[in-house]
Amino acid sequence: MESITEDLKTRIISRDSDEVGICFINTREKNNSLSSEGVYTFKELSKLSASFIKDTSSLCENFDSVIGSNDGSNYGARENPLYNGLWVAQGMLGKSATKNLGKRILLFTNNDDPFENADPVTKADMRRTTIQRAKDSQDLGISIELYPMSRPGEEFNLNIFYKDMITMEDDELSNFMVGAEKRFEELKARMRKKLFQKRVVRKITFTIANGTSIGLGTYAMVRPATTGKYEWLDSTTNKPVKSERALICTDTGAIVTESTKRFTHYNSKRVLMTREELAEVKKITDVQLRLLGFKSIACLKDYHNLRPATFLYPSEEAIKGSTCLFIALHRSLIRQKKFALAFHGNSTSPHLVALVPQEEIVNEYGQVQPPGMHMIYLPYAEDIRQPEKVINLSKGGVEIAAKEHIDKAMALIKKLHLREFTVYDIQNPALQRHYSNLQALGLQEDTVEEVEDCTLPDEEGMKRPSIVAVVQAFKDTVYGADHDQEEAAAEAERAKGSVTAQKRKAAAEVATKESEKYNWRQLALDGELKKLTVVELKYYLAGKKLPLSGKKEILIERILNDLGM
């Protein structure tokens, strides 16, 4: 239940349109649409909400009194709770308003023999009907995922029944239990992130030459993750409000109701232009993607990249035979280690682009990297800046580091080399903290879940003697052996400062001491900040060295922003 609750907390952020239902099998009480014995529908299929998650997380406290487990002694001789549960779950998924999406039944159980109390004839019949019910669900596009749980001192035996129910081959049995344990951990440790369907962003035509073209679909593989959209609420009713936009005449101050016109100044006159005329003026070409030629992949530098690349994959919808031609071009580029240089026409920002082929990578778990091309946006000549030339002109040359300095720096880099670094392991701490605060507010939790900041350095690892020695050697060589003492003396001199600076420092110390008397995060969660005086609010701002100007509402907003709420 803890794993399911954690999964729901993540799912409401990552896929808020998902519909989830929860029902228990082999229960004392019954509550389902079919009035079947041993099945209790705790939550009907619906979109997730804060109340849904709160009810699920608190269920363990009163499960025995409200629902309760049953060993089957109160059922009829031919009652089959597992069969009934699969039928109820299938009915719930069948009534879903969401169409054309994946439907799954996640089955959690620690009973590897659900029919052990039945007589041989009844057991054989229950086994046959349950397997058929599972097959019927799969024929309707519903996948069944088993999460087996071993009892203390007893291994879950898939061979007794579930191997046949979920259609598992013998060579899959050995790895299934290990994989199930990993899936349990994934349910609890899944990262809070918004998930996006890999759908076509745009369909374009790639013109090669002499009327030969390829239909392509474009996909966004890497984009900055944001906190999502916010919604305006009425301050008194807390209900969503509708925002409207209006144009106001600068001469009369009246709201403009008639349609507006566009114009441009030419020879001291206003020249009116329609929307279509403006679009025609801005348009550079009708060609969406045009081939210019080919270059060696060695000519493409990492810094020749203006923004995240777009992934290209052939599409047969617009042009038949696009896949065949795309594969031929793709394989030829890989074989010759070249990329295609092309012009990407766009009415607002036309670009030179490099089409870099990517090979497919597959391992024992499936596809890791799809085949296709990355469309990398290249800079124009005007986009490339030469700051080195500016330094040379203004300072009369750049000082070159001594060989000893370079050697010490290379030793430092080699010692601090991250051997197993991957961007997939580093989460955005600001985004994770935002979702943690959102969860605490939505579920009315007393504490905010701590978020691990993976961007912080490994302080314990940095204290190892070998690393300390390399860092100190680099500092002594570049800055001198007495650098720390010189910096400390300079800092002490700066700390003295002027009389005004001393007063500010004293005021900041007082504000910090006063600020420590308040639990600011709890006050913010309870909405109690507005009850504090302006002087009290400024204690926090002064202690954090934040601006103190503005009205009370502005001060509160500044505190909430600093708290990440």
Side-chain angles (χ1 to χ4, degrees):
M1 290 305 298
E2 290 178 1
S3 300
I4 292 173
T5 302
E6 291 300 318
D7 179 66
L8 295 180
K9 291 178 180 179
T10 305
R11 189 176 296 275
I12 197 172
I13 294 172
S14 61
R15 304 181 67 95
D16 55 0
S17 61
D18 279 7
E19 294 182 336
V20 180
I22 299 177
C23 66
F24 292 91
I25 300 174
N26 204 36
T27 59
R28 182 186 68 244
E29 306 294 333
K30 68 176 180 179
N31 175 35
N32 59 84
S33 58
L34 302 177
S35 298
S36 300
E37 292 290 343
V39 179
Y40 192 98
T41 302
F42 176 66
K43 287 290 183 181
E44 290 286 352
L45 196 70
S46 63
K47 290 186 178 181
L48 289 175
S49 63
S51 59
F52 189 115
I53 298 175
K54 288 177 65 177
D55 293 345
T56 305
S57 63
S58 61
L59 177 62
C60 292
E61 300 174 2
N62 52 7
F63 177 84
D64 290 333
S65 59
V66 176
I67 302 176
S69 298
N70 199 309
D71 58 4
S73 58
N74 293 339
Y75 302 149
R78 301 189 63 83
E79 282 294 342
N80 185 347
L82 179 57
Y83 174 90
N84 296 339
L86 291 175
W87 198 356
V88 170
Q90 179 182 321
M92 292 169 63
L93 292 170
K95 292 185 291 185
S96 171
T98 307
K99 304 298 181 182
N100 302 323
L101 293 180
K103 298 180 179 181
R104 296 185 300 163
I105 296 175
L106 274 60
L107 181 59
F108 298 83
T109 179
N110 66 349
N111 185 4
D112 52 13
D113 188 5
F115 318 119
E116 60 182 341
N117 295 326
D119 61 79
V121 177
T122 304
K123 183 175 183 177
D125 183 59
M126 288 182 173
R127 180 187 180 91
R128 178 185 59 80
T129 55
T130 305
I131 292 175
Q132 185 60 43
R133 171 55 58 191
K135 186 177 183 301
D136 292 342
S137 298
Q138 293 169 346
D139 292 341
L140 293 173
I142 301 173
S143 63
I144 300 177
E145 296 183 16
L146 177 65
Y147 283 80
M149 297 176 286
S150 298
R151 297 173 180 176
E154 183 180 344
E155 183 73 17
F156 193 96
N157 191 351
L158 293 166
N159 289 298
I160 296 177
F161 170 71
Y162 284 101
K163 168 193 167 184
D164 298 324
M165 191 188 106
I166 59 179
T167 317
M168 190 181 304
E169 301 296 334
D170 292 335
D171 55 351
E172 298 177 307
L173 288 175
S174 57
N175 296 327
F176 185 83
M177 290 301 296
V178 177
E181 293 177 4
K182 289 183 178 179
R183 291 202 301 275
F184 261 111
E185 293 301 321
E186 288 174 0
L187 281 177
K188 295 190 68 174
R190 192 172 295 169
M191 181 173 59
R192 294 190 188 98
K193 61 180 292 188
K194 188 75 173 176
L195 299 182
F196 298 92
Q197 293 182 355
K198 289 182 174 60
R199 55 191 177 192
V200 177
V201 176
R202 186 185 174 203
K203 294 179 181 178
I204 60 176
T205 301
F206 182 23
T207 304
I208 297 179
N210 300 326
T212 304
S213 301
I214 302 176
L216 298 175
T218 63
Y219 299 82
M221 305 294 279
V222 178
R223 290 296 182 273
T226 60
T227 56
K229 297 180 179 179
Y230 57 84
E231 189 172 358
W232 293 102
L233 302 177
D234 186 274
S235 59
T236 55
T237 63
N238 209 34
K239 292 183 178 180
V241 295
K242 180 182 178 181
S243 59
E244 295 182 353
R245 185 183 135 198
L247 298 175
I248 299 176
C249 178
T250 56
D251 296 331
T252 63
I255 296 177
V256 179
T257 56
E258 57 189 36
S259 59
T260 58
K261 298 179 180 180
R262 293 171 173 81
F263 68 88
T264 183
H265 286 285
Y266 181 77
N267 196 19
S268 302
K269 294 182 180 179
R270 290 183 176 182
V271 181
L272 295 178
M273 303 181 73
T274 63
R275 186 187 297 271
E276 292 75 17
E277 289 172 336
L278 279 174
E280 189 66 27
V281 169
K282 293 180 179 180
K283 186 171 68 175
I284 296 176
T285 177
D286 292 325
V287 178
Q288 295 174 317
L289 187 62
R290 180 174 62 239
L291 178 66
L292 299 179
F294 302 95
K295 289 285 291 184
S296 171
I297 199 72
C299 298
L300 189 63
K301 306 301 180 183
D302 292 339
Y303 50 82
H304 290 163
N305 197 341
L306 288 179
R307 69 184 199 191
T310 300
F311 190 73
L312 303 179
Y313 199 79
S315 173
E316 294 281 332
E317 294 184 16
I319 303 175
K320 296 295 182 183
S322 294
T323 303
C324 182
L325 190 55
F326 184 87
I327 292 174
L329 180 62
H330 179 266
R331 290 179 177 176
S332 299
L333 290 173
I334 292 175
R335 189 181 306 117
Q336 301 183 45
K337 297 181 180 180
K338 294 182 179 293
F339 71 89
L341 183 66
F343 175 79
H344 183 217
N346 190 305
S347 60
T348 56
S349 56
H351 285 287
L352 284 175
V353 294
L355 307 184
V356 181
Q358 173 177 280
E359 292 189 85
E360 183 181 25
I361 297 179
V362 180
N363 60 15
E364 63 271 19
Y365 301 107
Q367 188 185 70
V368 177
Q369 179 175 287
M373 293 187 188
H374 287 285
M375 184 166 67
I376 298 175
Y377 298 87
L378 301 177
Y380 288 111
E382 297 88 343
D383 299 331
I384 301 175
R385 303 180 182 184
Q386 302 291 343
E388 297 86 359
K389 292 182 179 179
V390 177
I391 293 174
N392 286 334
L393 292 173
S394 61
K395 296 188 177 181
V398 180
E399 184 180 352
I400 304 299
K403 183 179 183 304
E404 185 182 8
H405 299 168
I406 297 174
D407 292 342
K408 294 297 182 182
M410 290 180 64
L412 176 65
I413 293 172
K414 185 177 180 180
K415 198 66 180 177
L416 296 180
H417 177 66
L418 301 174
R419 293 175 176 81
E420 299 180 356
F421 169 76
T422 170
V423 293
Y424 295 102
D425 294 337
I426 308 297
Q427 303 176 18
N428 183 344
L431 200 61
Q432 296 301 310
R433 193 174 297 113
H434 166 79
Y435 286 136
S436 181
N437 291 326
L438 201 63
Q439 175 183 306
L441 288 171
L443 301 181
Q444 297 178 350
E445 296 176 340
D446 296 332
T447 58
V448 179
E449 182 180 332
E450 288 295 328
V451 175
E452 181 184 3
D453 189 349
C454 298
T455 63
L456 295 176
D458 181 9
E459 295 184 1
E460 292 298 324
M462 297 290 284
K463 293 178 181 178
R464 293 202 301 266
S466 59
I467 294 180
V468 172
V470 171
V471 173
Q472 190 63 43
F474 176 72
K475 286 174 59 179
D476 293 345
T477 303
V478 177
Y479 299 110
D482 299 329
H483 175 70
D484 291 341
Q485 292 83 347
E486 294 172 359
E487 281 294 310
E491 181 64 28
E493 192 66 28
R494 286 192 297 267
K496 293 179 181 179
S498 62
V499 177
T500 305
Q502 293 177 6
K503 289 182 178 179
R504 289 176 182 170
K505 182 179 179 182
E509 291 176 354
V510 172
T512 302
K513 290 181 180 179
E514 292 294 331
S515 176
E516 292 173 353
K517 299 178 180 179
Y518 300 85
N519 187 341
W520 295 100
R521 185 170 294 278
Q522 190 61 45
L523 289 172
L525 290 173
D526 297 339
E528 300 290 330
L529 288 178
K530 58 186 177 182
K531 295 183 179 180
L532 301 180
T533 64
V534 172
V535 175
E536 291 173 315
L537 295 174
K538 287 185 177 181
Y539 286 151
Y540 179 90
L541 297 173
K544 297 290 184 177
K545 296 182 180 179
L546 296 173
L548 304 177
S549 60
K551 296 182 179 179
K552 186 175 183 178
E553 292 77 10
I554 297 176
L555 300 182
I556 293 175
E557 182 179 0
R558 201 170 288 152
I559 293 174
L560 293 175
N561 290 336
D562 186 65
L563 291 171
M565 305 176 68

